[in-house]
Structures are given as structure tokens and as C-alpha cells.
Amino acid sequence: MLSQTFRHGLRAVLHRHHGARTLSARSLPQQQDEYTAEPEYPPIQELSFRAKKVREAAQWHEKIRQLSSVEEKLLEINMPKYYGYKAHMISDGKVPYNALPLAQYATRTHFVEGQLPEGYGKLEADAKVLLEALRGELEDVLEFELGGYSHPELSDESLTTQQREELLTSSLLRALNRVLVNGLSGQHSHLAELEQDFDPRHEAFWFVGGMPPPSLVRKIKEGVEWQKPYADDPYDRKFQYVGQPYLALRHKNPLGPVAGDDLATLDYRKDNVEIPVFKYDPISLGYHTEQRYATTIPGFWPGDQHEFGLVSFQRRSHAQIRHTYCAVDDLQEALHSQAIFSSYAWLFGQACYQGFSTFNDLTY
């Protein structure tokens, strides 16, 4: 049985909703709203497997571009993979043999040895004057750090050769940087606004297309009848750089472009730019894969006002043990490879904080 109170409430609701009934209708669309002067057809889309994949990728790239914050863009890149990407790991702790071709191809870098851009040549005379003014202080620092001061942390006999070099180099670089910044800030006021990062975290994740597919991916496609024609299609390799330089300097304003006034007309296809094509599995060089989330960090968090890098000092302690896994003395080429990867990763992270990504507005 329904209670008396409930029945009174139900009667009031029914009366309120059904006591006065009305009839409403929408007007028919006008003829000018139904017809256009020119016929409008839906886009004709190719229905092949490759075309569908291209459209899906383009939609995802556009979704990333439309996101309003840097954090959202970086997070969205990880969303398709619950357990992270299987990425080739690159670090500043070890450089495999013959890594320069891959470094150039993966970063689209044209390497010029022994020649600085024209803009730096104009500063050579000023640099010599400043060097003479600070020569005495710099020599004192070198003498103190390398000969006059016994670092207590180096007395630990369990330290490896690499660890000893890193401790000594880190202390020396900090002292030299202090002398240079203090001595030059009087004539160059922008140096007083520098942000100095000691042992910063430099990481970058990006995709490199046009490379051969992994053997496992090829075998999987060959095992499915309708995917056999696509077994050898180019594959997007994932690269994750993880580095930690000794020191990195940042400023509110970026450096000037290297290309100068010719930046608008720069075309790598016409300017004798040579970028080697690397068509092998990076594992063949020693860049093994690791399942991990994509991280892009240029040494600071989004929102920092000093968001443009000026110079970084990289570790090269891997040279101490290079002879154990390289029979050929290719240290100079290894340092070139390390410089390309570390510089690209740092610049890529800064570009991501400006709203760019590996999918939109590619700026190698």
C-alpha cells in the first residue's frame, strides 16, 4: 500500500506535468537551406590499409597540435601505449662503434667539421681580448683544481676510472664557469641573468620514419595472409635519449640563427647538404630497446622563463673504457656522434616546450 503522503505527492506531479497539454512543431527548412549553387559531395577516401593508417596518424597528430598546454601534448604521446614504447635507448655514457651515420640520419643533421658559422668568426677578435683579461684567473683555477687541491672524494679506492674523471671534471668546470661568468658579466650584462644547471636531466623522445621494420614485426605480418604485402613497409622507430651533462646554461632570450639572413631560403635539397641514409636496425650498432614511457625534458620544467639553452658541457668519460669494446680508435667520430645526439635532444626538448612536437612543424 502506498502511503497517503506519497499519493498526494504523485497526484501533484501528474497534475503539474499533464494538466495543460500543448502541441509544438518545427517549421520546415526553406528551399535555400536545402540546396546550394554548387553540388557538395563528401570527400572520396582511399580505403586501402596504408591509406587508413595514414589518416589515423594524421588525426592523432592534429589532436596533439590542438592541445592547449605542453603537459597535455607530452602526455598524449604516451596515451596509445599503456606500457610505454619500445624505444632504442641513447645515452651519453656509451657510444657504439660507427654511430655517426645513424646520428645524422636520426636527427637529419648535416655535419661540417673544422668550420664554424660565419657569425662566430666576427667574434674571434673580441674573444681574444677577453681571454687575455681573464688568463691569469683561469690559470690559477687550472693549477688549483688539477694540482694544488687534493679532492677528498677521490681518495676512495673503489672508484672506477670513469667516476674519477667525472668528479674531477665536474669540479674543474664549475670553477672555470664561475670565473668566466663573473669576469664577463661586467661587459656583457645578459650573462648576469643566466640560469646555471649542474648535472641537469636532458631527455628527448622522437620518432624516425623510413627505417626497416624489426624482424618480429615482419614475421607477424608475414604470418597474416592479408598483411603479407605490407611486411617490408618502412617502420617508425622510436628513439629515447637520456643524458646528464656536467653543466648547462640557459637564458630568457635564444641565440641567433646560424643561417643568418639566408634562413628563409635555406633548402637542404639544393644547398649541397649531405645526410647519410641509414637503412639498418639500430640494434646492429648496439642501441638496444627498452620498454618505457616517452619523456622529453630539457633540464627544467614548463613555465620557467629561462627556456633557451646557450651552451652545455657534455661528459666524455666513456672514452676511458672505449678500448674494451672498440678495436678501432674512432674516439673523435664517437664524440661527434655524442655531440649530435645531445645537442638535438636538448634543442628538441626546448622546441617541445614552445609547442612543437615530433609530428607538427618538424624543425630538425
Side-chain angles (χ1 to χ4, degrees):
M1 296 292 293
L2 297 176
S3 65
Q4 191 72 16
T5 305
F6 179 81
R7 280 185 288 177
H8 282 297
L10 179 61
R11 189 179 299 111
V13 171
L14 293 176
H15 177 74
R16 182 167 61 251
H17 286 279
H18 302 285
R21 299 184 178 181
T22 58
L23 181 64
S24 63
R26 292 184 301 174
S27 60
L28 294 175
Q30 300 296 323
Q31 184 175 3
Q32 60 268 23
D33 297 331
E34 287 191 333
Y35 299 94
T36 59
E38 296 292 336
E40 297 179 0
Y41 301 104
I44 300 176
Q45 296 181 341
E46 186 180 352
L47 300 180
S48 66
F49 175 74
R50 291 191 180 97
K52 290 181 180 179
K53 286 296 183 181
V54 170
R55 285 196 298 271
E56 290 175 1
Q59 292 173 359
W60 187 46
H61 300 170
E62 180 62 21
K63 178 182 179 181
I64 295 176
R65 192 183 71 84
Q66 294 292 343
L67 294 175
S68 57
S69 67
V70 174
E71 293 86 349
E72 289 178 292
K73 293 176 185 288
L74 296 177
L75 182 61
E76 175 59 31
I77 292 178
N78 281 298
M79 294 305 292
K81 300 293 183 179
Y82 186 83
Y83 293 103
Y85 290 95
K86 195 173 184 180
H88 295 279
M89 299 301 299
I90 303 172
S91 71
D92 56 359
K94 182 179 180 180
V95 182
Y97 171 72
N98 197 27
L100 185 58
L102 175 61
Q104 291 183 250
Y105 182 76
T107 61
R108 302 299 192 268
T109 299
H110 172 58
F111 178 65
V112 179
E113 187 174 5
Q115 178 183 351
L116 290 175
E118 296 181 1
Y120 290 93
K122 302 175 183 178
L123 304 175
E124 185 175 358
D126 295 337
K128 290 182 179 179
V129 174
L130 295 173
L131 175 60
E132 291 300 324
L134 299 176
R135 182 183 295 275
E137 295 184 57
L138 294 175
E139 290 177 349
D140 291 342
V141 167
L142 292 173
E143 183 179 356
F144 177 77
E145 291 290 337
L146 300 180
Y149 174 64
S150 58
H151 297 268
E153 60 272 15
L154 296 179
S155 60
D156 188 355
E157 296 182 357
S158 63
L159 293 177
T160 64
T161 307
Q162 288 180 280
Q163 292 172 332
R164 291 179 181 276
E165 178 180 318
E166 290 186 359
L167 287 172
L168 185 60
T169 305
S170 177
S171 178
L172 176 61
L173 278 177
R174 295 188 183 202
L176 290 174
N177 176 70
R178 182 176 63 253
V179 171
L180 290 172
V181 172
N182 292 341
L184 300 178
S185 297
Q187 301 181 36
H188 303 277
S189 58
H190 70 281
L191 296 179
E193 302 174 354
L194 286 177
E195 278 290 331
Q196 305 177 29
D197 300 329
F198 299 104
D199 300 325
R201 180 181 174 185
H202 286 183
E203 300 181 7
F205 175 86
W206 71 98
F207 292 80
V208 179
M211 302 191 72
S215 57
L216 179 60
V217 174
R218 184 184 291 107
K219 289 180 180 179
I220 292 175
K221 290 185 177 181
E222 289 176 348
V224 181
E225 186 64 29
W226 68 272
Q227 284 196 350
K228 284 184 178 180
Y230 314 114
D232 294 321
D233 281 3
Y235 190 79
D236 288 345
R237 297 278 183 163
K238 296 86 178 173
F239 285 85
Q240 175 70 62
Y241 176 86
V242 178
Q244 189 179 49
Y246 290 113
L247 172 65
L249 304 180
R250 296 182 285 114
H251 197 267
K252 295 180 180 179
N253 301 319
L255 294 171
V258 174
D261 298 334
D262 299 331
L263 185 61
T265 59
L266 183 64
D267 189 348
Y268 74 93
R269 292 166 294 187
K270 300 179 181 178
D271 295 341
N272 298 322
V273 173
E274 296 181 1
I275 299 177
V277 178
F278 191 87
K279 293 297 184 181
Y280 306 98
D281 194 329
I283 294 180
S284 62
L285 296 180
Y287 289 114
H288 297 286
T289 58
E290 180 180 320
Q291 198 84 19
R292 57 165 292 157
Y293 293 110
T295 55
T296 300
I297 305 170
F300 56 96
W301 300 117
D304 195 309
Q305 294 184 352
H306 300 77
E307 52 189 355
F308 299 105
L310 298 185
V311 63
S312 65
F313 299 88
Q314 302 294 324
R315 302 173 187 271
R316 49 167 292 171
S317 56
H318 58 82
Q320 297 289 344
I321 61 171
R322 188 165 185 80
H323 64 278
T324 61
Y325 59 88
C326 279
V328 180
D329 184 12
D330 67 333
L331 177 59
Q332 194 60 44
E333 183 175 316
L335 294 177
H336 293 328
S337 304
Q338 179 186 357
I340 291 175
F341 272 129
S342 61
S343 299
Y344 174 81
W346 194 27
L347 179 61
F348 182 84
Q350 297 172 52
C352 284
Y353 279 16
Q354 299 299 318
F356 300 102
S357 73
T358 186
F359 307 118
N360 308 115
D361 298 307
L362 294 176
T363 52
Y364 286 99

